[in-house]
Amino acid sequence: MFHCRDKELHDLNKRYKKNEFECIVLYGRRRVGKTALINEFCKGKPTVFFSALNASSRENLEALSKAIYEKDYPGAETAPVYQSFDAAFAEITRMAEEDRLVFVIDEYPNLAKANKSISSRLQHIIDHTWKNGKLFLILCGSSMSYMEYQVLGYESPLYGRRTGQFKIHALTYKEMTAFNPNLTYEQQAFIYGITGGIPHYINKLDVDGDVDEALKENLFNTSSYLYEEPENLLKQALREPAIYNSVITAVASGASRSNEIATKVGIESPICAKYLKVLLDLGILVKETPITEKAGRKTIYAIGDNFFRFWYRFVPQNTSAISAGKIERIYDPIIKKHYPDYMGFIFEQMCREYLFLYAEDVPVVLSDVGQWWGTDSKAKEEVQIDIVGTPVEGNEYIIGSCKYRNTPVGVDELELLKQYADVFGKGDKYHYYIFSKSGFTQGLQELANKGEVRLVTLQDMYQ
């Protein structure tokens, strides 16, 4: 079932109805739902769908030839092979004269790497033939760095040829409830913490009421798809998956700076930096810097993909028990008891999404929402603020705290927030927000009634 990409689908169909040439660049990380969106868009439309292979130029020409042949002869086992890509594109031109044709090149970076001239060839035929016709061309890719620099970038032969671009992001915590609408808010939040809003992972987790049972069956199980997903994804995308695995493991175990990660992996820092860049491009890792500050010595690395974060947190150290089929024995005492701590970070992500995308009557027009950390010179200790919302203009900030625990949050948390705001020290005025999974004490609610703080529960975030 297709969920949650209604705006993108609407925009694609609106462009299709114009009956003019389109060159759409559509990209995003693996598993985010790009191909599902394209397939939904193509329903009922004359389409040539070519999924480029991580293979030779000749093998890709054969696959393209078969994709063209299948438009008129679906299910054909063999197909005549065109002499060249130019000949195949000429056939696309002929077909587009008869119909409003959608021509999809999925995983375009594979084709471009196999045939170095393909972008120039596409540029030439767009400029001299297709731009005057009705072809609807979609170039899709999972390598975000390649799509941004080698397709959309200024130095690309295709620069200026696109008529639109769609960067497909993971679903927000609120959007993904469409997959399991009958679950509780806490269960929804936990699924977000496991899957990061990636539709493919939500489907593969296959929750049917009981999240714990779904995890035991579809992740903590050596025969399940999700159990081997990180390893398979690294093998598909990278030449040296073992080293990348070691880098991710180092970050998952607490190493956050480049030199720390290099030391844990056992490689030199300049070499480690190259591996880190690739993982950043894939969206598996992210760089984090205190909001309002420039990247520098405070910049750290973290796992940015929630599924990788969950997997590396709970699978490697329990591999022996999982392989032996003893998940029932270890699940509650060894794995599940750590979920609340794991969800603390995830809840912070959700609260930032809420403020930036869903909250009403926010007293500051926000330009960004992030976290901040620094040193309290008086107390001589490190301070971390879960949420800092920066203004588009002016000098008023939002300062927030997020508590994912089973007890109500009290007045002491507001007092602590005010102390941290003094350490932050960049605003003329602060608006305080406190988020809590389990509500608030009466004393804190009374202060909220006086306007000193805004209180948001997990339930509020889903309303």
Side-chain angles (χ1 to χ4, degrees), residues 162-382:
R162 76 181 187 277
T163 58
Q165 67 282 326
F166 294 76
K167 185 174 183 179
I168 308 302
H169 297 277
L171 302 177
T172 68
Y173 76 88
K174 199 169 181 179
E175 288 174 328
M176 56 164 283
T177 60
F179 287 79
N180 300 285
N182 297 322
L183 299 182
T184 67
Y185 299 128
E186 190 170 342
Q187 288 174 320
Q188 297 282 10
F190 187 40
I191 293 175
Y192 179 72
I194 300 166
T195 66
I198 299 298
H200 188 65
Y201 297 157
I202 301 169
N203 286 326
K204 290 297 182 182
L205 188 59
D206 192 24
V207 175
D208 186 18
D210 191 324
V211 183
D212 292 322
E213 289 304 313
L215 280 167
K216 294 174 192 176
E217 182 67 24
N218 300 317
L219 195 154
F220 297 118
N221 182 333
T222 56
S223 67
S224 68
Y225 176 94
L226 292 177
Y227 179 77
E228 293 190 342
E229 167 64 0
E231 181 180 351
N232 289 337
L233 195 150
L234 292 179
K235 285 179 179 177
Q236 290 173 25
L238 305 167
R239 293 181 180 177
E240 301 171 293
I243 298 179
Y244 286 100
N245 177 66
S246 297
V247 172
I248 300 169
T249 300
V251 177
S253 64
S256 60
R257 303 187 186 279
S258 180
N259 60 339
E260 296 173 346
I261 298 167
T263 299
K264 279 203 170 187
V265 177
I267 56 179
E268 296 180 358
S269 290
I271 297 174
C272 185
K274 295 179 181 179
Y275 290 107
L276 289 170
K277 183 181 184 304
V278 173
L279 291 171
L280 290 170
D281 289 341
L282 289 172
I284 295 172
L285 296 185
V286 291
K287 272 184 177 181
E288 295 183 348
T289 302
I291 196 168
T292 73
E293 298 186 21
K294 295 180 180 179
R297 60 184 181 85
K298 285 188 176 182
T299 298
I300 60 175
Y301 292 89
I303 298 180
D305 181 299
N306 282 355
F307 179 75
F308 271 71
R309 178 187 294 275
F310 186 87
W311 194 94
Y312 277 87
R313 173 65 180 82
F314 294 108
V315 172
Q317 61 268 49
N318 296 301
T319 297
S320 297
I322 295 170
S323 298
K326 297 179 180 178
I327 186 62
E328 289 289 352
R329 185 182 301 177
I330 69 166
Y331 186 77
D332 285 347
I334 304 297
I335 295 177
K336 186 175 180 178
K337 73 174 186 178
H338 294 294
Y339 287 166
D341 289 339
Y342 172 82
M343 283 299 297
F345 178 86
I346 303 301
F347 189 50
E348 291 176 16
Q349 289 182 334
M350 295 171 59
C351 295
R352 293 181 198 123
E353 279 191 357
Y354 169 81
L355 266 180
F356 205 68
L357 299 175
Y358 299 118
E360 298 179 357
D361 301 323
V362 179
V364 177
V365 179
L366 296 171
S367 66
D368 199 5
V369 178
Q371 60 177 322
W372 183 90
W373 61 91
T375 303
D376 183 343
S377 57
K378 293 180 181 178
K380 295 183 179 180
E381 62 183 15
E382 287 294 310

Side-chain angles (χ1 to χ4, degrees), residues 87-105:
F89 292 154
E91 178 62 14
I92 293 292
T93 301
R94 186 196 66 77
M95 296 167 73
E97 290 174 352
E98 299 175 358
D99 293 308
R100 171 66 157 155
L101 182 71
V102 180
F103 178 32
V104 179
I105 305 180

